[in-house]
Amino acid sequence: MADIEKDSSAPPLTTEKTVAASTATSVSSGSGEDFETTRQRLLAQQELVKSAPPVLPITTLFRRKGPQPDLDQIATQPSVYDDPDVAKYFQPMPQYENRHRFDPSARWTWREELPLINKLDWKVTLWAFWAFFALDLDRGNISQANTDNFLEDLGLNTNDFNLGNTVFRLSFLCAELPSQLISKKLGPDRWIPTIMVLWSIVAASQFWLSGKTSFLVCRALLGMLQGGFIPDVVLYLSYFFKGSELPFRLALFWTSLRVTDVVAPLLAFGILRLRGTYGYEGWRWLFLIEGLFTLLFGVWSFFNMAPGPTQTKSWFNKKGWFSEREEVILVTRILRDDPSKGDMHNRQAVDLKLLWKSLKDYDLWPIYIIGLTFLLVAGPPDAYLTLNLRSLGFNTFDSNLLSIPTQFFGTFTMLGLTYASESWNERTYLGIFGQLWLLPNIISLVAFPDNVNPWAKFAVLTVLLSYPSAHAVHVGWTSRNSNSVRTRTVAAAMYNMFVQLGGIIHANIVRRSLATRGLSARSRC
């Protein structure tokens, strides 16, 4: 590696000298400040010119033969650790679980780093994808159940359904922050599989629903157990990926929601045909079979999840995922990107004092407000898509199949928006673009006469719900602006709580009074 460090093509080495020279005066003038204030001032004063990877890491999985970019350039990015006078303010805490692998003097090439990122994608991102698939399968299959006379079989109406959605979202919202705090104390690798197993049991138990009371109880239990899952996974992913890498992984994470909405109708197409088997309705079999799938995945997650990049060995995998050299690279690159990730142990609780301090971080509240509002337009048409299709005259199975195109196209628009956000380092205007996409479609639905061709309404609904969601961009934005593990822990939950609060608002836009007016009224919501 000594020869590599002398490579003139390595921009970080020249930048390190610049950083050291520019910060010497800043540190010397920091007397009289408390330790944390000095840290924040030094971070704000750094102008670290970082080099981009020669290829997008995930694309190396599909690399073709032919001329390749120079992967032997230094990949080590400049950081506050390059100046000893500054570095002393950013040392990982002694209890930090990866401290034994942190080496600020380490240097490595892209040829070493990119395969490690790919391995993380196979081990961590892919797991997160399927875990979210399982979550959305259990919380969203009520949409497919609706096409099989679910409400009629239980003697429920649209208002009861709305109440169930509200109870679910309110329970989901209230559980998010407590679940995140428990996860921070126990570790996401323990807590996430636990809640997956518990909610899968409740989901499968919907096979025995008997009326309004049991319906609302199951909705409440599902919300309580599923509420912390998303912020827990966001925190877990932040242990492995840099701030610039996280949004695209989150986009892949939320892509599973779209995939679920494609696969779920296909599964429902077959499972709902079991109506009459042993005298039970098809929707009962749907809840039971999909709940058992999540149960199996939750049990498997106990064995698949690793607490962190240096804690991958276990009794059934004694070699672990990485070599010692690879662990040095993974830990050092994370801390060079964000030194605050070494401030807490991954099983260290956030106490009430730290919780209050994180809640007072007013710089993050505008992002929370965005989370509250950005789904208000698309939420009602999305939640009632299958019911709207039924009202248009499509049968049960066609309604499920016709809901697939919106998920297919929405996947690509979301990934494209997230990739553009990181490429252009822009988040605000691209989020506005998604809302501008929705506007003409909503106007069209309002302007349509009641006797318009059903396929025209279907086309507009499909375009509307294929909008480029900025959800992953917002979550990555929140994580990147948190500046500490304890704030990141709280902020991930707070942002998602505001999203769920927005969901409660749009879940109650459609009321029975509108339902009696037919699809025209519902579509305009």
Side-chain angles (χ1 to χ4, degrees):
M1 294 302 294
D3 293 335
I4 295 176
E5 291 186 36
K6 296 177 182 178
D7 188 348
S8 60
S9 64
L13 295 184
T14 58
T15 308
E16 290 170 10
K17 297 178 181 179
T18 305
V19 172
S22 64
T23 57
T25 303
S26 299
V27 176
S28 63
S29 64
S31 57
E33 294 180 334
D34 61 47
F35 190 81
E36 183 62 28
T37 302
T38 303
R39 275 173 52 112
Q40 296 304 318
R41 180 174 56 80
L42 291 174
L43 280 177
Q45 289 177 345
Q46 304 307 303
E47 295 183 359
L48 306 177
V49 182
K50 301 190 177 185
S51 57
V55 292
L56 185 67
I58 202 167
T59 62
T60 61
L61 296 172
F62 315 102
R63 189 182 302 159
R64 298 179 180 179
K65 295 181 179 180
Q68 300 296 326
D70 183 7
L71 300 180
D72 291 320
Q73 298 179 18
I74 290 290
T76 313
Q77 300 295 293
S79 78
V80 293
Y81 296 106
D82 299 323
D83 177 11
D85 292 328
V86 176
K88 62 184 180 182
Y89 290 95
F90 299 96
Q91 294 303 306
M93 66 177 293
Q95 294 80 20
Y96 176 55
E97 70 277 3
N98 301 315
R99 185 183 176 96
H100 63 295
R101 292 288 186 256
F102 176 56
D103 182 4
S105 65
R107 298 292 181 269
W108 58 89
T109 65
W110 291 113
R111 191 179 300 279
E112 291 180 281
E113 181 171 333
L114 294 179
L116 291 181
I117 300 175
N118 284 335
K119 184 179 285 190
L120 289 176
D121 283 325
W122 283 114
K123 297 287 188 180
V124 180
T125 308
L126 186 61
W127 168 84
F129 178 94
W130 287 114
F132 199 11
F133 177 89
L135 170 83
D136 203 50
L137 196 65
D138 286 339
R139 72 173 176 174
N141 54 13
I142 193 172
S143 178
Q144 288 82 48
N146 273 335
T147 67
D148 191 46
N149 298 319
F150 171 74
L151 296 180
E152 292 85 348
D153 289 340
L154 290 178
L156 306 178
N157 56 38
T158 305
N159 281 353
D160 297 326
F161 180 73
N162 285 337
L163 179 59
N165 281 338
T166 301
V167 167
F168 172 82
R169 290 183 179 276
L170 187 59
S171 300
F172 199 100
L173 183 154
C174 293
E176 293 210 48
L177 187 54
S179 179
Q180 182 77 319
L181 297 178
I182 295 172
S183 178
K184 186 65 186 69
K185 172 63 176 178
L186 301 181
D189 56 299
R190 295 173 177 172
W191 182 240
I192 293 175
T194 299
I195 59 176
M196 290 187 72
V197 168
L198 292 176
W199 93 55
S200 67
I201 294 173
V202 175
S205 297
Q206 292 177 108
F207 180 88
W208 292 279
L209 288 178
S210 58
K212 182 177 179 179
T213 300
S214 58
F215 168 65
L216 294 178
V217 169
C218 282
R219 288 287 103 189
L221 289 174
L222 282 175
M224 289 172 57
L225 294 170
Q226 293 180 340
F229 173 82
I230 294 175
D232 291 347
V233 172
V234 173
L235 179 65
Y236 181 66
L237 291 175
S238 72
Y239 291 161
F240 296 90
F241 293 103
K242 292 160 52 175
S244 59
E245 297 164 349
L246 188 59
F248 194 75
R249 271 72 196 173
L250 292 173
L252 294 174
F253 176 57
W254 264 285
T255 295
S256 66
L257 187 151
R258 299 285 188 172
V259 172
T260 307
D261 290 340
V262 171
V263 174
L266 296 176
L267 292 174
F269 183 85
I271 296 174
L272 292 178
R273 291 177 180 271
L274 294 174
R275 172 175 274 269
T277 303
Y278 297 109
Y280 292 108
E281 297 88 343
W283 56 263
R284 295 186 187 272
W285 293 110
L286 183 72
F287 288 140
L288 179 64
I289 292 172
E290 294 184 349
L292 291 177
F293 166 79
T294 305
L295 176 62
L296 293 175
F297 188 87
V299 172
W300 177 72
S301 296
F302 276 110
F303 301 96
N304 180 74
M305 294 182 69
T310 66
Q311 300 169 290
T312 60
K313 295 181 181 179
S314 61
W315 61 268
F316 57 87
N317 183 12
K318 298 188 181 302
K319 292 182 62 177
W321 297 351
F322 308 108
S323 67
E324 180 177 328
R325 166 67 176 171
E326 290 173 335
E327 289 180 354
V328 168
I329 295 174
L330 289 171
V331 173
T332 305
R333 80 187 197 98
I334 287 291
L335 292 186
R336 292 182 75 90
D337 176 69
D338 185 353
S340 72
K341 291 184 178 180
D343 290 348
M344 295 185 75
H345 191 278
N346 63 5
R347 300 202 197 284
Q348 180 181 349
V350 176
D351 59 28
L352 291 178
K353 181 179 179 181
L354 294 178
L355 172 61
W356 178 243
K357 188 175 182 180
S358 300
L359 291 174
K360 292 193 301 181
D361 193 342
Y362 59 85
D363 291 329
L364 292 170
W365 277 80
I367 307 179
Y368 301 158
I369 301 302
I370 292 174
L372 173 70
T373 58
F374 86 105
L375 286 176
L376 291 181
V377 176
D382 190 25
Y384 286 86
L385 179 59
T386 53
L387 285 178
N388 283 345
L389 293 175
R390 284 295 303 275
S391 297
L392 283 170
F394 299 106
N395 62 35
T396 296
F397 303 109
D398 288 343
S399 296
N400 281 319
L401 294 177
L402 288 174
S403 68
I404 292 176
T406 64
Q407 314 306 330
F408 179 81
F409 294 118
T411 296
F412 289 99
T413 58
M414 179 181 65
L415 289 174
L417 185 80
T418 307
Y419 181 73
S421 173
E422 288 306 307
S423 297
W424 300 338
N425 193 29
E426 176 56 57
R427 280 153 283 280
T428 306
Y429 292 121
L430 289 176
I432 293 173
F433 172 72
Q435 299 302 307
L436 292 176
W437 177 298
L438 295 170
L439 181 60
N441 294 285
I442 288 294
I443 293 174
S444 297
L445 290 176
V446 172
F448 273 152
D450 291 342
N451 61 348
V452 72
N453 189 301
W455 286 104
K457 286 188 176 180
F458 165 72
V460 173
L461 282 170
T462 299
V463 174
L464 185 153
L465 295 177
S466 299
Y467 76 105
S469 173
H471 197 25
V473 174
H474 297 160
V475 176
W477 197 5
T478 304
S479 179
R480 184 177 296 181
N481 287 8
S482 294
N483 296 324
S484 69
V485 176
R486 50 96 180 160
T487 301
R488 188 172 294 110
T489 300
V490 176
M494 287 293 293
Y495 169 79
N496 215 50
M497 287 171 68
F498 274 77
V499 173
Q500 296 306 318
L501 183 58
I504 291 174
I505 295 172
H506 74 62
N508 286 278
I509 291 176
V510 181
R511 304 301 299 168
R512 183 176 175 82
S513 59
L514 291 179
T516 60
R517 294 165 56 190
L519 177 72
S520 175
R522 286 196 297 272
S523 294
R524 291 170 188 170
C525 298

